[in-house]
């Protein structure tokens, strides 16, 4: 066996430069974080198995499966509705896990198709008092509190690129927190688009491990 | 300072002068002026030359409908824009403007010769006048016409400005901030609904800005406006956008607003965007677009100084500018009388009011008499004089039975006309809302709606301030209610308003020869009434055809002042009622919109998204030259210092053939097909048979469309009995997945199969070359890599460097090859490790160019390069991949059509040039007889062509009619300067026995 020190690399390794960017202002209007080291499994209910899949979700994660346009927090995972009869299960990666699907296989055997997308997506978190203004440049979804409260999810697009967008609990300063999952190969481009959109508000950039959020 | 400015009058700030230039002459205007109002204040009416006849032209209107007063504006630092409407452009300190469409100067324009030769330039002249000699069209006439035509000059440098865009959502969007729009916004705003109000002008008010008589709830119009604006500004749920034009109304209440942010500023803030495109999704929309005044159509109605009466009133009341000292009014509508009164009260000597109606309301006459204005009712205008500015108008009385009395000439320095008003139904029409013809008003009005929208005010045919306020308030309240809020329309008391009536006239009748009259309908395109009648005489009956033949209603103003006049003239000529003749289609944008606004942020690096692989950064760090492949950027070749592309590719090819190369194949589309019916699904999609493919084995698959032509290809591996790993071409991935989903959902919903794109999940490293196995055999766990355990076209799961891998043995080079799939996050690390370990074998990374050469040497096709959507598998030499015993697959039926079986179909062949050093151009045409006369009979074309270092000569793939039967024949490739010859050969140039796959 070859001795090998892991050098896991994010598609945003080169693009994300932690620190301040954009306009020079006392308080960054937008905070951008790339969340790394997560597992992501897409769960598709098979035909006629919606109910059974919902039950399996409840049993496995201890929460109700997300209703359409919803994201729910469960023990150790966030479940994001991603389309009719499908959802994404997002969790912090356990050290040494290569195949997150394995842990779910038993629960969903025969009722849902599982697909590992841990490497297929990048996760970008956007917060700050101007996050909503910045996102208004990028997404056609109405993010107003009355329409898009905490826990709302949308399968939509940014710059013609498919994304999963959802809102998690407000940050400490009361500003909204939005998350987007973008396809890995598009991540570099989308990151630059986001930074460009946020530049006028001043940006604070960081990377975080999924285990720490 | 301004000869025609009235001190203290109007809304411009007369304490704040601004200096600007027009055609190099310095002028002064005031803050709040448009270029048009400032020029008029300086007595300048001549601002341009017309499109076709180069006739001197002035300012027709005071709004965005302006057809004539188009200027070039230079805002410095490369910020040049042609065709800016002087009536919209706000003046600022240092603005430089120039007139257009003349040479050598505005006052002396050689092109005006066209005016004298007008007989040559009638409707459709370019189809008729320049027919002979035929050979002159391409070389003489067309270049001449193109040189003479066109409006303004194109900018010569890239646009230095930046543009912004954003999405917005609201309960009620109100378009237009005239009295109707303001009333609507107030009502909706008071209800608590989220309201957006937009107006194309710099300040709110619309027609109120030009209104000085009427009083609303006891206050003057302007005081009421001030209070309304203040109330809206104070409402936190209301967003007011000025300088924001609603350019288009799209499905499900999505409207585009283009907001001008900096064009009015002398020194815009550094980096500030010039414009912002708002994409607004509104629950309810109120359209309060107002109305546009119609010109009267009579001989000489286009001279500088002839303008719409309402515009003259705007210049006077809003800008404090008298458009002339001795104006004449000619009209068929009461509203023009108000312009005469206001000008007379402002000190102008109104020489006459000429009204084509025999009778007008008594109160109009009384007031005109009190002001000492001569009234000529039942008279018509039959001509004008004055070269660079109108000097007189010729008028005749018409008796009740239509007999003309003697002509009279009235001297004037401005001629104000009104043919009534046309409701602006543009945005309503964008929604495909039905328009109803109103015979009395000779106008189209909004009818049945298709979206959640309401029209109010003059744009709905409800003219006058009181009607606009009432209808606006009601529309605003109703919209708020429909959006889920409580609202009740307020009522307004309006005093000092007189009802305004009018008749709509065709071309004014004349005692002169109507066929010689230059009575303009469309000022911008120089279309006269007789052009429209000529078009009808020549057989055009549909308004859409008449428009295109005469160009009436085309170009930057899109016929805002000409469409209805053109329609009624056409309707008379074809002897059908106007609604039966119809109306040309209203299309977005409402007014000319910059490309910058549409592009928004998508410029330069952000022009479009670029997809990158997990190994992209390594390639960049190691000197790769990239090429775009669909949205991806891929490493093209890896030059070493001093190498050009040819040298690098030759070296990379040689290294792969002799020892080992590595290639980033991560961009290949990857689809996982899972389920008990997965094999059956593949049987039906692909031409090949899949049921008998063993677990752990791969097969090359060909995908056709229903038409039987090749759509995509790729290697498909069976991971388990119910799980296949399908690869597609890089560019075809999304298309293939969509096609599969389509068939699965619509044709075979009974199949238990699930599809997932896993393109992004895996990094793919292709190791190719005789030393491939030697390199990584020690690195792989869990897979027997022996020749027996893992033969060519195998797939297995195991680990490499401890990382889970899906390993394929396959080759796109003809050498022993492996494709190592690892989760993307390990892609770069595994790549680096393999590169490091490969040094002992002299490994080289190679790019897409080497990949192309190596596969071409083996005759492996690239779908989309060697195929063009018209090749069957048989044509491409892939007949072996068709499962002939299968009951069906997509495209099977088409393959048996007679045309698909013809022997002379274009078939893929190899070409070897007579001169081995000649590399043919891909795409070059192939002929059999090089001595035939032009145009030659083409029998095929070169699809791929390379220098093959391995073979020491050029090679090419081509499609040739009946190509395979011509093997050994010589064909010719005529190119500029010389004709190449080549011999048709098989498509496999290297190792036809495939010995090297296991070498």
């Amino acid at each position: 066996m070859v001795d090998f020190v892991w050098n896991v690399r994010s598609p945003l390794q080169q693009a994300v430069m932690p620190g301040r960017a954009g306009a020079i202002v006392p308080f960054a209007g937008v905070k951008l974080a790339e969340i790394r080291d997560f597992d992501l499994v897409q769960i598709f209910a098979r035909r006629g198995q919606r109910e059974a899949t919902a039950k399996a979700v409840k049993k496995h994660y201890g929460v109700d499966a997300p209703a359409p346009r919803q994201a729910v927090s469960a023990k150790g995972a966030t479940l994001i509705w991603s389309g009719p009869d499908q959802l994404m299960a997002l969790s912090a990666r356990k050290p040494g896990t290569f195949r997150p699907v394995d842990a779910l296989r038993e629960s969903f055997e025969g009722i849902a198709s599982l697909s590992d997308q841990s490497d297929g997506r990048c996760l970008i978190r956007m917060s700050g008092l101007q996050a909503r203004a910045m996102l208004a440049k990028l997404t056609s979804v109405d993010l107003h509190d009355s329409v898009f409260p905490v826990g709302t999810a949308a399968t939509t697009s940014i710059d013609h690129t498919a994304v999963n967008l959802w809102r998690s609990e407000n940050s400490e300063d009361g500003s909204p927190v939005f998350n987007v999952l973008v396809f890995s190969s598009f991540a570099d481009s989308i990151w630059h688009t986001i930074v460009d959109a946020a530049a006028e508000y001043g940006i604070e950039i960081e990377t975080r491990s999924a285990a720490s959020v | 300072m301004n000869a025609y400015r009235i001190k203290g009058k109007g809304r411009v700030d007369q304490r704040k002068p601004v200096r600007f230039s027009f055609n190099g002459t310095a002028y002064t205007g005031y803050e709040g002026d448009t270029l048009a109002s400032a020029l008029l204040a300086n007595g300048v009416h001549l601002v341009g030359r017309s499109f076709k006849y180069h006739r001197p032209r002035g300012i027709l209107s005071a709004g965005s409908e302006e057809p004539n007063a188009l200027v070039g504006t230079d805002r410095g630092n490369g910020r040049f824009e042609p065709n800016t409407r002087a009536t919209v452009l706000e003046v600022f300190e240092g603005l430089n403007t120039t007139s257009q469409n003349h040479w050598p100067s505005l006052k002396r324009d050689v092109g005006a010769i066209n005016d004298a030769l007008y007989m040559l330039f009638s409707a459709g002249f370019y189809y008729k006048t320049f027919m002979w000699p035929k050979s002159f069209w391409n070389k003489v006439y067309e270049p001449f016409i193109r040189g003479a035509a066109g409006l303004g000059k194109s900018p010569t440098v890239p646009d230095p400005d930046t543009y912004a865009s954003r999405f917005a959502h609201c309960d009620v969007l109100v378009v237009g901030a005239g009295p109707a729009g303001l009333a609507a916004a107030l009502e909706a705003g008071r209800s608590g609904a989220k309201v957006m109000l937009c107006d194309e002008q710099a300040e709110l008010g619309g027609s109120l800005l030009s209104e000085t008589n009427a009083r609303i709830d006891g206050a003057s119009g302007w005081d009421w406006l001030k209070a309304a604006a203040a109330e809206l500004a104070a409402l936190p749920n209301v967003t007011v956008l000025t300088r924001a034009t609603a350019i288009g109304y799209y499905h499900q209440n999505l409207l585009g607003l283009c907001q001008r942010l900096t064009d009015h500023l002398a020194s815009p803030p550094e980096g500030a965007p010039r414009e912002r495109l708002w994409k607004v999704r509104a629950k309810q929309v109120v359209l309060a677009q107002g109305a546009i005044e119609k010109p009267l159509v009579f001989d000489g109605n286009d001279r500088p100084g002839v303008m719409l009466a309402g515009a003259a009133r705007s210049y006077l009341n809003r800008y404090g500018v008298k458009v002339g000292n001795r104006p004449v009014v000619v009209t068929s509508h009461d509203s023009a009388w108000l312009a005469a009164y206001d000008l007379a009260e402002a000190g102008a000597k109104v020489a006459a009011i000429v009204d084509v109606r025999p009778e007008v309301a008594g109160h109009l006459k009384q007031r005109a008499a009190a002001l000492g204005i001569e009234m000529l009712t039942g008279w018509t205008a039959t001509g004008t004089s004055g070269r660079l500015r109108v000097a007189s108008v010729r008028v005749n009385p018409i008796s009740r039975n239509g007999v003309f009395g003697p002509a009279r000439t009235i001297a004037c320095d401005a001629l104000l006309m009104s043919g009534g008003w046309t409701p602006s139904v543009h945005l309503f029409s964008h929604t495909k809302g039905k328009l109803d013809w109103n015979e009395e008003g000779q106008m189209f009005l909004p009818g049945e709606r298709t979206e959640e929208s309401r029209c109010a005010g003059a744009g709905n045919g409800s003219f006058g301030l009181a009607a606009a306020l009432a209808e606006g308030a009601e529309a605003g309240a109703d919209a708020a209610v429909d959006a889920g809020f409580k609202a009740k329309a307020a009522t307004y008391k309006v005093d000092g308003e007189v009802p305004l009536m009018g008749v709509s006239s065709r071309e004014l009748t004349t005692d002169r020869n109507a066929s010689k009259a230059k009575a303009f309908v469309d000022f911008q395109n120089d279309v006269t009434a007789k052009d429209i009648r000529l078009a009808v005489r020549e057989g055009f009956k549909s308004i859409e055809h008449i428009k295109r033949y005469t160009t009436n209603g085309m170009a930057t103003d899109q016929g805002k002042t000409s469409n209805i006049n053109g329609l009624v003239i056409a309707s008379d000529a074809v002897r059908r009622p106007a609604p039966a003749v119809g109306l040309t289609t209203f299309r977005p944008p409402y007014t000319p919109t910059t490309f910058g606004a549409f592009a928004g942020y998508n410029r330069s690096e952000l022009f479009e998204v670029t997809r990158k692989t997990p190994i992209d950064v390594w390639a960049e760090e190691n000197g790769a030259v990239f090429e775009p492949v669909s949205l991806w950027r891929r490493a093209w070749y890896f030059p070493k210092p001093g190498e050009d592309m040819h040298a690098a590719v030759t070296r990379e090819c040689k290294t792969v053939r002799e020892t080992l190369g590595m290639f980033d194949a991560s961009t290949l589309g990857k689809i996982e097909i899972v389920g008990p019916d997965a094999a059956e699904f593949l049987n039906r999609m692909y031409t090949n048979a899949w049921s008998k493919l063993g677990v752990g084995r791969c097969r090359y698959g060909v995908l056709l469309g229903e038409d039987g032509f090749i759509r995509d290809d790729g290697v498909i591996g069976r991971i388990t009995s119910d799980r296949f790993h399908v690869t597609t071409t890089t560019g075809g991935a999304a298309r293939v997945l969509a096609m599969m989903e389509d068939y699965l959902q619509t044709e075979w919903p009974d199949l238990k199969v699930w599809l997932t794109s896993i393109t992004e999940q895996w990094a793919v490293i292709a190791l190719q070359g005789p030393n491939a196995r030697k390199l990584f055999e020690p690195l792989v766990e869990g897979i027997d890599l022996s020749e027996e355990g893992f033969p060519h076209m195998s797939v297995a799961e195991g680990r490499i460097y401890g990382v889970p891998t899906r390993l394929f043995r396959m080759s796109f080079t003809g050498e022993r090859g492996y494709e190592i799939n690892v989760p993307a996050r390990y892609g770069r690390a595994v790549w680096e490790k393999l590169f490091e370990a490969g040094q002992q074998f002299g490994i080289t990374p190679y790019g897409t160019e080497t990949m192309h050469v190596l596969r071409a040497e083996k005759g492996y096709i690239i779908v989309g390069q060697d195929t063009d959507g018209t090749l069957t598998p048989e044509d491409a030499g892939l007949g072996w991949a068709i499962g002939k015993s299968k009951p069906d697959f997509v495209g099977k039926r088409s393959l048996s059509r007679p045309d698909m079986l013809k022997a002379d179909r274009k078939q893929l062949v190899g070409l070897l040039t007579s001169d081995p050093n000649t590399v043919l151009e891909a795409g070059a045409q192939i002929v059999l007889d090089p001595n035939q006369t032009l145009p030659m009979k083409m029998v095929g074309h070169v699809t791929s062509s390379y220098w093959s270092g391995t073979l020491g000569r050029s090679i090419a793939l081509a499609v040739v009619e009946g190509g395979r039967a011509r093997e050994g024949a010589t064909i010719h490739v005529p190119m500029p300067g010389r004709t190449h010859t080549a011999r048709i050969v098989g498509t496999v140039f290297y190792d036809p026995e495939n010995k090297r796959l296991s070498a």
Side-chain angles (χ1 to χ4, degrees), chain B residues 197-384:
Chain B
L197 170 66
C198 69
D199 194 281
E200 61 178 352
Q201 302 212 37
E203 60 175 331
L204 303 180
S207 62
L208 269 181
L209 298 170
S210 306
E211 177 59 58
T212 47
N213 298 322
R215 299 180 73 78
I216 305 166
D217 290 344
S220 78
W222 288 4
D223 285 343
W224 181 86
L225 171 60
K226 198 173 166 187
E231 183 180 346
L232 290 169
L235 284 168
N237 53 320
V238 176
T239 305
V240 175
L241 302 176
T242 53
R243 301 187 178 93
T245 306
I247 55 170
Y249 192 154
Y250 311 93
H251 290 302
Q252 278 125 25
N253 271 13
L254 177 73
L255 283 92
L257 318 179
C258 184
Q259 186 184 19
R260 303 183 303 282
L261 301 170
T262 59
D263 273 7
H264 60 291
L265 301 175
S267 44
E270 185 71 27
R274 180 185 175 208
E275 294 177 341
R276 172 173 290 123
L277 187 71
W278 293 76
K279 288 163 267 186
V280 183
R281 184 82 66 183
K283 284 188 188 142
Q284 298 289 325
V285 171
V286 176
L287 298 173
Q289 280 192 274
I292 292 172
E293 197 166 18
K294 274 186 291 188
L296 287 172
V297 182
F298 59 95
D299 188 19
N301 63 344
D302 66 324
R303 293 187 198 279
V306 182
M307 70 163 61
L308 294 166
R313 197 165 176 241
S314 284
Y315 288 119
L316 179 67
N317 291 336
R318 181 172 173 189
Y319 300 99
V321 175
K322 266 185 304 181
V323 297
N325 286 323
R326 191 184 157 78
V328 166
V329 170
V330 53
T331 183
S332 65
H333 196 273
D334 295 348
S335 61
W337 291 64
L338 303 187
Y341 306 153
D342 288 356
L343 277 159
E345 282 169 356
K349 167 66 190 155
V350 178
I353 297 174
V354 180
D355 199 314
V356 301
R357 298 171 292 178
E359 295 297 334
V360 297
H363 65 86
L364 292 175
K365 288 186 177 174
Q366 284 163 20
R367 196 157 165 212
L371 288 162
I373 303 171
E374 184 183 5
M375 289 167 277
L376 301 170
T377 56
W379 286 57
T380 182
T382 52
T384 59

Side-chain angles (χ1 to χ4, degrees), chain A residues 1 4 6 9 14 46-47 93 98 115-117 119-120 136-137 139-140 142 159 184-186 188-189, chain B residues 167 169 601-602 610-612 620 749 754 756-757 760-761 781 799 801-803 823-826 833:
Chain A
M1 180 58 215
F4 184 67
W6 286 120
R9 197 178 161 91
Q14 192 188 37
R46 292 191 173 172
R47 198 169 296 113
R93 178 173 303 135
F98 280 125
S115 158
D116 182 6
Q117 298 288 355
D119 289 60
K137 300 180 185 180
T139 173
S140 59
D142 188 353
D159 209 12
S184 296
S185 66
F186 291 93
D188 184 83
S189 258
Chain B
F167 294 94
H169 307 264
Y601 305 110
N602 294 110
T610 302
R611 301 180 72 179
K612 293 179 179 176
E620 189 178 291
W754 295 272
T756 314
S757 167
E760 307 273 334
Q761 173 67 13
E781 288 174 280
R799 287 178 183 244
Y801 288 115
V803 175
R825 63 179 176 271
Y826 303 115
K833 279 292 187 188

Side-chain angles (χ1 to χ4, degrees), chain B residues 176 396 519 710 776 784 842 881:
Chain B
N396 298 69
I710 298 172
F776 77 78
D784 171 12

